[in-house]
Amino acid sequence: MNTNGTGVESLELIIVVAVGVLAMSWLSRRTGLSEPLLLLGAGCLVGLTPPFAGFALSPEVVLFLFLPALLYWEALTSSVREIRNNFRSIALQATGLVLATAVAVAAVAHALGYSWPIAFVLGAVLAPTDAAAVAAVAKPMPRRILTVLRAESRLNDGTALVLLAVTIEVVTDERPFSWSGTALAFVESYAGGIVIGAAIALLLIPVRRRLPEPLLHSALSVATPFLAYLPAELLHVSGVLAVVTCGLATTRFGPRVIGSDARIQAIAFWEVASYLLNGALFILVGIQLPAAVRALTSVSLAQAAIAACAVSVAVIGTRLLWFYSVPYLVRFLDRRPQQRDRRITAPQRLPLAWAGMRGAISLAAALTVPAVTAEGHVVEQRDAVVFITTVVIFVTLTFLGPTLPTVVRRARFPEDEVKTAELTLARCHMSSAALRSLPELAQRFGVPEAATLRMAQDIEDRMAPAPGSTRRRESLRRLELALLQVKRDTLRDLRDTGRIDDIVLRTVQEVLDVEEVRLGRKTHDAAAESAQDDSARS
């Protein structure tokens, strides 16, 4: 079975992957075991079954379907300010660390008998970290550290794919490597991707302003990453950077042109879609592992296993060496006070170094290596590249992923006081602006004075909660939720007795659902305020 099989085979694969994602996610939550590790193991078991013995993961599926969608959602949920503040670190990791890893892997592979061209192909394949893997296991980190890791894992794909394209040309066209040509390719790819991503984002602003329905906004949101990725790829520039740039630009102008209904709907879709796509990638990588073993013919299994272990050490070791050398060199050269304030300790640097998981992007890159050269010669040891890549993915996910939460806890990161202060600032300024505008707006809409005073009191309570006000609001919230449930029961009874139609039920139910979401947000705000009150008292 392969990804280009019949419709029935494709449906079988979709069902197996979907069930695997749900089952392993449930098991992870029940047992506390690493979710990526369970998904990978489930994929390996599926790959050992006869129906999936011939499964071959299509690199186009990963690079043109999974990658744009996941990158776009990651960009939408990122902080542009934090990326700007940490741009130097992100840029160094997304370029310098990628090149250093590629060279280290190539050197190890060449020492084990692989030719320099194929060794550099392997290095380019394994150079980038995987955005899905990092996002899955790096959640406990502070905002700044998590932003750096997520931005690195998005941007280093672009660097690695350009490097891979150059090395594949050397292998397949059998022409010498050129530093000047490679540097020019990097500049063209980066600049072109950024320009296309920004252009697509700007072109979509007037479109979003004119869309009449939330459903159309959501449909456009689904199409946006592919609208950015495809033209970039057709022009042979970085589709990765095009999608990331488009996503980051959308986070800036989105609040001005996207309504609340459309935003709620789109966020709900992307949360479900990213969850399923992330899980599916881990299972697909696991399914590919037995196939990679069976396809190995150019070298013995023992030789390939030794090479995979050595390359795994090189991948992990290079990242560790980078984070405990380059930042200190930068620290020595840049002694500005604002940079000194941003420094972290050696233990706090370890989680950054430890988050070097590889994933489906590396496997898809390995599978793009052609089997023959332009002259018709067989590309030797291509099968070994695929096997080694699959094993390195497995090793990093099983070794680094499950241990990362422990590393984060031992780093003892301080609480993000800046975020708490900014949340308080935002709430106070919004409430003050609302109080200033309340009398004029109440008069415009003919709201009675008593209702206006109650609303003003509620806003003031949120600004400076009086003793017991949080508890009182929580009691009122529970009362409102209970009344909502009464309304729901009545609505269902009317439908069940045939007095209203299902369409009417759904119309009214949408209103009740929005109200329940609003009350749920009140719960979150009340809990945050209560925690802040407790912190202030302590």
Side-chain angles (χ1 to χ4, degrees):
M1 175 182 294
N2 56 46
T3 53
N4 298 317
T6 66
V8 173
E9 290 174 335
S10 300
L11 181 59
E12 288 176 357
L13 179 62
I14 291 171
I15 292 174
V16 167
V17 170
V19 171
V21 170
L22 294 174
M24 293 303 104
S25 298
W26 173 84
L27 185 60
S28 173
R29 285 157 176 75
R30 289 297 300 268
T31 62
L33 296 175
S34 169
E35 186 172 326
L37 182 57
L38 290 174
L39 292 168
L40 199 65
C44 289
L45 292 177
V46 172
L48 292 172
T49 60
F52 297 92
F55 172 80
L57 179 63
S58 171
E60 288 78 13
V61 170
V62 177
L63 297 177
F64 291 96
L65 177 61
F66 285 80
L67 184 60
L70 291 173
L71 287 174
Y72 186 65
W73 173 241
E74 283 289 308
L76 287 180
T77 54
S78 295
S79 166
V80 177
R81 188 189 67 179
E82 287 298 314
I83 291 176
R84 184 171 60 247
N85 291 341
N86 296 280
F87 181 76
R88 183 173 62 188
S89 297
I90 294 169
L92 283 173
Q93 290 162 218
T95 54
L97 181 54
V98 167
L99 297 175
T101 303
V103 170
V105 169
V108 170
H110 182 67
L112 293 172
Y114 293 80
S115 65
W116 276 118
I118 204 69
F120 270 107
V121 166
L122 181 62
V125 163
L126 290 172
T129 55
D130 187 77
V134 170
V137 299
K139 295 176 183 176
M141 293 189 182
R143 179 179 50 165
R144 177 193 167 196
I145 304 299
L146 187 57
T147 298
V148 171
L149 283 176
R150 290 171 63 185
E152 176 206 353
S153 65
R154 290 191 298 269
L155 298 179
N156 61 19
D157 289 339
T159 305
L161 291 175
V162 173
L163 183 61
L164 178 64
V166 172
T167 55
I168 286 179
E169 285 184 0
V170 173
V171 170
T172 57
D173 295 344
E174 299 178 342
R175 60 187 183 186
F177 176 81
S178 168
W179 282 108
S180 60
T182 302
L184 181 61
F186 274 112
V187 172
E188 290 177 348
S189 180
Y190 270 69
I194 292 172
V195 169
I196 289 176
I200 294 296
L202 292 174
L203 288 172
L204 291 180
I205 292 177
V207 177
R208 292 183 187 276
R209 291 186 190 277
R210 289 169 174 78
L211 288 178
E213 299 177 17
L215 186 61
L216 295 178
H217 272 282
S218 298
L220 180 59
S221 179
V222 174
T224 298
F226 306 101
L227 292 174
Y229 192 85
L230 182 59
E233 289 297 312
L234 292 176
L235 293 173
H236 303 291
V237 297
S238 177
V240 170
L241 278 174
V243 173
V244 172
T245 302
C246 185
L248 292 176
T250 303
T251 63
R252 301 298 294 179
F253 69 72
R256 296 183 176 88
V257 299
I258 301 175
S260 57
D261 290 346
R263 189 159 46 248
I264 290 172
Q265 192 174 79
I267 289 175
F269 165 81
W270 279 114
E271 286 179 343
V272 174
S274 64
Y275 158 73
L276 291 174
L277 291 176
N278 277 328
L281 278 178
F282 289 119
I283 288 186
L284 291 173
V285 170
I287 295 176
Q288 188 67 40
L289 183 56
V293 175
R294 287 190 293 267
L296 189 63
T297 58
S298 64
V299 295
S300 69
L301 180 60
Q303 290 175 321
I306 292 173
C309 291
V311 169
S312 298
V313 171
V315 166
I316 297 171
T318 302
R319 189 173 180 88
L320 285 167
L321 181 61
W322 175 277
F323 277 98
Y324 283 95
S325 60
V326 174
Y328 293 100
L329 176 61
V330 172
R331 179 183 297 185
F332 176 77
L333 296 174
D334 187 352
R335 298 178 177 273
R336 290 177 297 170
Q338 60 266 37
Q339 293 301 319
R340 286 200 296 268
D341 294 339
R342 302 177 64 81
R343 293 174 182 173
I344 58 177
T345 64
Q348 291 171 350
R349 196 174 298 283
L350 184 57
L352 282 162
W354 209 250
M357 288 72 67
R358 269 57 180 177
I361 305 304
S362 290
L363 181 57
L367 293 172
T368 62
V369 180
V372 295
T373 67
E375 301 296 328
H377 301 144
V378 175
V379 176
E380 297 181 358
Q381 300 174 323
R382 177 189 180 276
D383 56 342
V385 169
V386 176
F387 175 83
I388 292 171
T389 300
T390 308
V391 173
V392 171
I393 293 170
F394 185 83
V395 169
T396 55
L397 286 176
T398 56
F399 176 60
L400 299 178
T403 56
L404 182 60
T406 302
V407 173
V408 173
R409 285 195 300 271
R410 292 184 176 178
R412 299 184 183 277
F413 286 106
E415 185 180 352
D416 192 352
E417 297 179 354
V418 174
K419 181 179 179 180
T420 302
E422 290 179 357
L423 282 172
T424 303
L425 176 68
R427 291 195 181 102
C428 288
H429 276 251
M430 288 190 302
S431 299
S432 298
L435 285 173
R436 289 194 300 270
S437 303
L438 183 59
E440 178 187 346
L441 294 174
Q443 184 178 5
R444 182 193 306 175
F445 297 115
V447 178
E449 184 178 356
T452 305
L453 291 175
R454 284 198 302 271
M455 184 174 290
Q457 184 61 51
D458 184 65
I459 294 173
E460 289 174 352
D461 285 345
R462 290 180 177 277
M463 290 181 62
S469 62
T470 301
R471 190 177 299 107
R472 184 173 63 254
R473 286 204 305 274
E474 176 62 15
S475 298
L476 290 174
R477 185 197 67 83
R478 291 178 180 175
L479 175 60
E480 291 182 81
L481 283 174
L483 291 173
L484 272 180
Q485 189 58 47
V486 171
K487 293 179 181 179
R488 289 185 187 279
D489 293 340
T490 303
L491 186 65
R492 284 194 297 268
D493 289 341
L494 290 172
R495 190 275 311 273
D496 293 343
T497 57
R499 299 176 66 182
I500 64 172
D501 183 55
D502 286 301
I503 295 176
V504 175
L505 178 140
R506 285 194 293 270
T507 302
V508 179
Q509 191 172 251
E510 287 180 4
V511 177
L512 298 180
D513 289 343
V514 171
E515 182 66 14
E516 189 168 347
V517 169
R518 182 182 68 83
L519 292 171
R521 288 175 179 167
K522 281 185 177 181
T523 305
H524 181 273
D525 291 344
E529 290 172 4
S530 178
Q532 290 177 14
D533 292 345
D534 294 342
S535 176
R537 284 194 293 270
S538 61

